[in-house]
Amino acid sequence: MKGLLWANIKKRPTRTIVSIFAVSLSVIMVLLFEGLTNGLIKDYAQRTKNTRADLFFQPPGSSLLFALNNATMPYKIKDKLMEVPGIKYVAPMIHQFNKKNFSLIFGIEPDSFNKVSGNGLIVVEGRIFKGGYECVVDDIYKKSHHTKLGDKIKILNHYFTVVGIFKSGVGARILVPLKTLQDLNDAHNKVSIFYIKCDTKKDIDRVYKYLKNTPPFKGYTVNKASNIYKLMTSSLPGLKEFTFVLIAVSVIISFFVILLTMYTTISERTREIGILKSLGASKRYIIFMILKEAITLTSVGLGLGIGLTYSVVRFLHKIKPSLPIEIQLKWIFIIIGLALFSGVFGSFYPAFKAARQDPVDALTFE
Amino acid sequence: METGSKELSVGNIVVVKNVTKIYKVGKVDTPALRGVSLKVRKGEFLAIMGPSGCGKTTLLHLIGGLLTPTSGRIFVDGQDITRMKDKERTQLRREKIGFIFQRYNLFPGISVRQNLELAKHIKKDGRDNGFIEEIIEMLGLKEKMDHKPLEISGGEQLRVAIARAVIGKPSIILADEPTGSLDSHNSQIVLDMLRNLNYKFNQTIVMITHNSEAAAYADRIIRMRDGQIEKKDVGSVFSFDHQTLTI
């Protein structure tokens, strides 16, 4: 049985290779997309969490991930927030998306940022910026962009001088003075988000409820840092829909590839199926034979796809260390399940067609 | 069921009763068999002769359960196969029938050994390999087991097809012009082997042939013409009494 299976698979090597590659491409597509979105969100969430802020205060209708817009909140809200019982520190910030290299830039006040983060901003080389067109970058940015002190980085069509390197893991990879970013956005005395540190952990819920329900804060968006990962995944518009479409396309591709492969295979092997029937092979035997072949092709495609995905991830990490890609084990299992599902269902019609063949017609097939 | 009827109880392994087979080609009915009746005794070597298109292969396929008759009854080993479901006929083929085709019909992508193992697997033959080894030895295939069918001669391929047919120790071997593609020397070797198998394992053989020399190896010859049996019980050089048979 095994011998026949491998002989059939080897009979048309080009078709076999194309089928295997088509399945593996679907696998790579889904895993890389998931790895990239998951990695980006998780990395951003972790870096935001590392700022040790307890709450995030944003303009009405904002999402945490998309606080990357224009600064619209008056800076002076900071003073109002500081008056709320239970709030210890408030750090006003602008989150800016740098289209040029697809990265995040935070406009911060080092003093308030350090207070919220408990001196979490550790400069390992150079110094923190003093103002104007100065910036600091983290060690991963430095490694991936081969940046050194004194280099110029173009942000919003302006060149910033790198004056310091800070330890990665806190906030964005590039930090610039809040005032400069306000000027560049023409948003004087405006910010896009406030990071809030509460007096104690017990105060978090109380402050959260207070800000949600008490004027003048009522209507603003308030989020807890403990929910940050969930908030980010749910706030990314269309992520679920896009993931669904991507998976559906991947499953459909695998389904049709296996269907076509097995259909052409059994058409070519009509006579062989007739021989099997003359030997006494049952319909079930023939169906299983075709399914086994389809599952073998799918499994090889899956293995190759998973292997190639990890190779691509390794390659991407090598050429761009700042690109966070995290392939979750959960998604490996999901893609194995989906690929096998499409492989089995793709081969159902050819398998049943083969099993239903008239043995005499099959034996006289030329 | 007529399993208890007289003709089934006197050692007939195949009983064909007034069988017709009509093929429908579009709207045209093409009769292949017109009321054929035939009995084959257990352990008998029967040759069926006749011109092309006379219905020999159709009759063979009907006995083997690959086709169902338009009318009439066929009993194999006491079972009415015309009333069997497809699944039951498959089981009958698996357990009681061995086919040998003129074109050998071996799987070209796998070795001789794998061809035989595949048949054993399908036939769910869990017996020890002693019988298979004996057949391989008897058919002179020992040295060819790891060759692929296309790497061996036509005569050897036919011997593999014979080995495959007898591997599950079927009660009946149905051979469709087994020597049709062989030269006379190889035909003689193969026919000797078939005769030997028939003698040694008491397997019933129904063989279709155009060749009267091949037919002469059988215990009995019947001739067909235009879908009917023309002449029965033509004698052979061999006696059906295996007790005194010499090859």
Side-chain angles (χ1 to χ4, degrees):
Chain A
M1 185 74 171
K2 270 185 199 165
L4 188 63
L5 187 141
W6 286 113
N8 288 334
I9 286 176
K10 285 192 287 186
K11 195 173 178 181
R12 299 266 181 219
T14 310
R15 182 175 58 199
T16 302
I17 289 167
V18 169
S19 311
I20 287 170
F21 267 101
V23 173
S24 63
L25 272 180
S26 304
V27 171
I28 293 170
M29 193 167 76
V30 171
L31 286 183
L32 269 188
F33 173 77
E34 271 307 315
L36 203 56
T37 49
N38 180 56
L40 280 168
I41 289 171
K42 231 174 176 178
D43 178 60
Y44 179 39
Q46 191 55 50
R47 283 189 283 130
T48 307
K49 213 170 181 179
N50 288 349
T51 60
R52 298 188 199 169
D54 296 319
L55 297 166
F56 303 104
F57 188 87
Q58 293 173 269
S62 300
S63 77
L64 197 55
L65 191 66
F66 283 90
L68 322 168
N69 46 10
N70 294 332
T72 55
M73 279 192 300
Y75 180 90
K76 61 185 177 186
I77 293 178
K78 178 189 174 186
D79 299 331
K80 295 268 180 201
L81 286 167
M82 285 299 286
E83 287 169 13
V84 175
I87 291 184
K88 195 174 183 183
Y89 300 118
V90 176
M93 291 163 70
I94 290 179
H95 287 185
Q96 182 82 42
F97 184 66
N98 190 16
K99 289 175 196 162
K100 193 174 174 288
N101 57 3
F102 208 75
S103 62
L104 263 182
I105 295 154
F106 282 8
I108 63 160
E109 293 173 331
D111 187 43
S112 63
F113 187 83
N114 261 331
K115 277 180 179 168
V116 167
S117 64
N119 291 320
L121 186 63
I122 301 163
V123 176
V124 291
E125 208 179 325
R127 59 172 174 82
I128 191 72
F129 49 73
K130 287 175 181 166
Y133 292 96
E134 288 184 343
C135 70
V136 289
V137 298
D138 76 358
D139 45 14
I140 293 177
Y141 185 94
K142 178 198 166 187
K143 194 180 167 192
S144 58
H145 291 80
H146 309 289
T147 309
K148 53 187 186 302
L149 295 181
D151 282 356
K152 304 275 186 194
I153 298 173
K154 199 175 182 183
I155 302 165
L156 297 174
N157 292 321
H158 288 76
Y159 284 100
F160 282 69
T161 307
V162 178
V163 295
I165 310 293
F166 67 95
K167 198 177 170 191
S168 58
V170 183
R173 300 217 182 277
I174 304 171
L175 303 177
V176 299
L178 175 65
K179 176 79 173 57
T180 310
L181 213 49
Q182 284 172 331
D183 292 343
L184 288 175
N185 281 302
D186 210 11
H188 307 291
N189 294 316
K190 298 277 175 67
V191 296
S192 60
I193 190 166
F194 289 103
Y195 280 32
I196 295 169
K197 184 76 186 168
C198 294
D199 284 326
T200 63
K201 288 220 178 292
K202 287 176 188 167
D203 292 318
I204 297 171
D205 270 344
R206 196 176 48 75
V207 172
Y208 172 78
K209 282 176 191 159
Y210 181 86
L211 294 177
K212 277 267 186 194
N213 303 313
T214 317
F217 309 111
K218 192 176 176 183
Y220 281 84
T221 303
V222 188
N223 287 307
K224 287 182 195 171
S226 53
N227 293 336
I228 191 161
Y229 183 73
K230 200 177 162 189
L231 284 166
M232 282 181 171
T233 47
S234 62
S235 66
L236 196 57
L239 178 65
K240 274 185 187 166
E241 292 79 1
F242 187 78
T243 307
F244 176 78
V245 170
L246 190 85
I247 290 169
V249 168
S250 153
V251 169
I252 289 167
I253 290 173
S254 299
F255 174 86
F256 279 109
V257 165
I258 296 295
L259 174 71
L260 193 67
T261 304
M262 298 319 294
Y263 189 84
T264 52
T265 299
I266 67 127
S267 299
E268 279 174 8
R269 299 206 320 247
T270 302
R271 193 179 179 85
E272 289 184 9
I273 289 158
I275 302 167
L276 288 172
K277 288 202 158 191
S278 74
L279 287 171
S282 63
K283 283 182 180 170
R284 201 169 62 172
Y285 188 94
I286 291 166
I287 288 170
F288 273 110
M289 188 186 78
I290 306 286
L291 287 181
K292 267 186 191 173
E293 208 171 308
I295 288 169
T296 304
L297 284 179
T298 311
S299 303
V300 176
L302 257 170
L304 185 70
I306 293 169
L308 282 176
T309 304
Y310 277 103
S311 303
V312 171
V313 169
R314 251 201 304 276
F315 175 72
L316 287 174
H317 277 156
K318 206 170 184 179
I319 61 162
K320 201 166 172 53
S322 60
L323 193 68
I325 308 175
E326 190 183 316
I327 311 289
Q328 290 176 287
L329 193 63
K330 176 182 90 175
W331 274 96
I332 302 272
F333 286 115
I334 289 173
I335 199 68
I336 288 173
L338 289 173
L340 288 176
F341 170 84
S342 53
V344 167
F345 277 86
S347 59
F348 258 166
Y349 174 67
F352 279 102
K353 190 173 183 279
R356 279 202 313 265
Q357 271 176 9
D358 181 86
V360 175
D361 286 347
L363 280 168
T364 51
F365 184 83
E366 292 295 337
Chain B
M1 289 288 280
E2 299 184 21
T3 48
S5 70
K6 191 183 167 191
E7 56 207 350
L8 294 175
S9 63
V10 290
N12 293 322
I13 194 159
V14 177
V15 177
V16 179
K17 291 178 81 177
N18 201 26
V19 162
T20 62
K21 178 68 185 175
I22 298 168
Y23 291 110
K24 274 197 180 298
V25 184
K27 287 181 180 175
V28 181
D29 285 349
T30 310
L33 293 181
R34 305 160 192 256
V36 169
S37 293
L38 169 75
K39 291 170 202 161
V40 184
R41 280 168 288 162
K42 192 168 171 49
E44 188 180 6
F45 188 165
L46 174 74
I48 304 174
M49 293 189 76
S52 295
C54 69
K56 307 183 296 288
T57 301
T58 299
L59 179 61
L60 202 76
H61 286 165
L62 283 166
I63 295 170
L66 290 173
L67 286 174
T68 48
T70 308
S71 67
R73 312 278 287 276
I74 300 169
F75 296 88
V76 173
D77 210 9
Q79 291 175 283
D80 184 352
I81 67 166
T82 52
R83 295 194 175 172
M84 280 181 175
K85 290 176 184 163
D86 184 54
K87 195 178 171 182
E88 292 166 322
R89 284 204 307 275
T90 300
Q91 194 182 349
L92 178 100
R93 280 199 299 277
R94 188 162 58 236
E95 291 171 0
K96 295 187 175 169
I97 312 277
F99 278 100
I100 302 168
F101 300 99
Q102 183 186 355
R103 288 174 58 179
Y104 323 129
N105 281 342
L106 300 172
F107 291 96
I110 55 177
S111 67
V112 167
R113 186 187 307 280
Q114 287 171 321
N115 265 281
L116 299 181
E117 280 170 357
L118 179 68
K120 192 169 183 276
H121 187 251
I122 290 171
K123 292 186 181 292
K124 294 172 185 165
D125 187 1
R127 276 178 288 229
D128 67 86
N129 292 327
F131 174 68
I132 299 173
E133 294 302 324
E134 192 180 345
I135 294 293
I136 289 165
E137 186 79 37
M138 188 177 159
L139 297 176
L141 292 170
K142 211 169 180 180
E143 307 300 317
K144 307 288 177 182
M145 292 299 280
D146 295 318
H147 287 71
K148 287 192 175 158
L150 295 178
E151 296 166 355
I152 58 179
S153 70
E156 286 165 339
Q157 285 183 55
L158 181 58
R159 278 185 264 158
V160 178
I162 293 170
R164 185 178 65 178
V166 300
I167 222 159
K169 276 195 178 171
S171 320
I172 308 160
I173 294 168
L174 303 174
D176 191 355
E177 295 197 44
T179 58
S181 315
L182 299 181
D183 57 43
S184 58
H185 174 68
N186 273 307
S187 294
Q188 199 181 335
I189 293 171
V190 165
L191 287 163
D192 280 340
M193 286 173 174
L194 276 177
R195 184 77 236 185
N196 210 3
L197 280 169
N198 167 249
Y199 172 65
K200 201 164 183 179
F201 302 111
N202 199 33
Q203 283 172 314
T204 308
I205 298 176
V206 179
M207 177 180 75
I208 287 175
T209 182
H210 277 112
N211 187 335
S212 50
E213 281 177 38
Y217 278 79
D219 301 317
R220 185 161 61 104
I221 301 167
I222 61 166
R223 292 182 195 277
M224 288 184 72
R225 182 177 289 274
D226 300 329
Q228 290 176 311
I229 291 176
E230 191 182 55
K231 198 175 178 183
K232 292 182 192 176
D233 299 324
V234 177
S236 169
V237 289
F238 294 99
S239 160
F240 181 56
D241 180 5
H242 287 166
Q243 298 302 314
T244 56
L245 178 76
T246 49
I247 302 171

